[in-house]
Amino acid sequence: MSTNTEISEPMAQRMDAEQAGPRERLLDAAEALIYAGGIHATGVDAIVRAAQATRKSFYSYFESKDALVAAALARRHGRWMDWFVDGTLHIGRTPRTQLLGMFDLLRQWFASPGFHGCAFLNASGEIASADDPIRVVAREHKAALLRFIAQRCDAFAAEHGISARSSAALARQWLVLVDGAIGVALVSGSADAARDAQAVAQRLLEHAARQPQTRVSKVKRASLST
């Protein structure tokens, strides 16, 4: 199973810092500083210094700080999703164990020293306009996360005869539990928020799995009474 090193430590390099070009160093610096301190609290000068770059190089790659933030978030999205998808698929062999295993992955992340919540929710909270590129990246991230959760829910639904409509509703509820656990873990400082969310998630699966059996039994009883 994948580790959470890349996520909890955004400055961890896939290449040595000396080998990275100024654009990559700017993206690394922006991601780390903004994830830890926020968009508005992080100035361009701080990013440039941390990247060991110059303002001239900054503006040769990005037209504004917001453009840099959007690019950094887009890159983080790909890395985060790779970690989450790979970890989920390797943590269990059945859709049920994979779905519940998502919260075990999250707990590892919550317990890491560099955890500061969801970078995409954090960024969205600082940006008012829904059409801002930063909000667009955050929205696309959540849409991609929902699609992956829905795939696992559809697989679970196929095993238990659950309707497509119920599976879609389960996926939306699952995303709320995931994001809720992230928020509670950030505010409370407790990684156990993942276990609490997992307990609720398990009840959701049990309830969903019972529904088709209840409907079938009613149909059988009705046919026997005629």
Side-chain angles (χ1 to χ4, degrees), residues 20-29 51 53 57 60-62 67-68 71-72 75:
R23 185 178 187 277
E24 287 299 310
R25 295 201 305 273
L26 286 164
L27 287 168
D28 288 335
S57 64
S60 68
Y61 293 109
F62 305 101
L68 170 61
R75 192 184 62 162

Side-chain angles (χ1 to χ4, degrees), residues 164-224:
R165 181 177 180 181
S166 295
S167 178
L170 178 63
R172 294 192 301 271
Q173 293 162 358
W174 212 266
L175 179 62
V176 171
L177 285 176
V178 167
D179 279 340
I182 295 172
V184 171
L186 173 63
V187 174
S188 68
S190 173
D192 286 340
R195 288 180 176 169
D196 294 334
Q198 188 180 57
V200 177
Q202 186 167 346
R203 288 195 288 271
L204 276 179
L205 292 184
E206 292 170 354
H207 175 76
R210 284 197 302 267
Q211 297 310 299
Q213 297 170 7
T214 302
R215 289 196 294 270
V216 170
S217 62
K218 286 181 178 179
V219 171
K220 287 183 177 178
R221 286 198 298 270
S223 64
L224 290 174

Side-chain angles (χ1 to χ4, degrees), residues 5 70 85 98 126 151:
T5 304
V85 170
Q98 290 169 352
E126 293 196 65
Q151 291 174 5

Side-chain angles (χ1 to χ4, degrees), residues 79-93:
R79 196 171 67 248
W80 197 96
M81 286 301 301
D82 285 346
W83 167 80
F84 191 72
V85 170
D86 181 67
T88 296
L89 296 180
H90 285 83
I91 205 166
R93 294 184 177 181

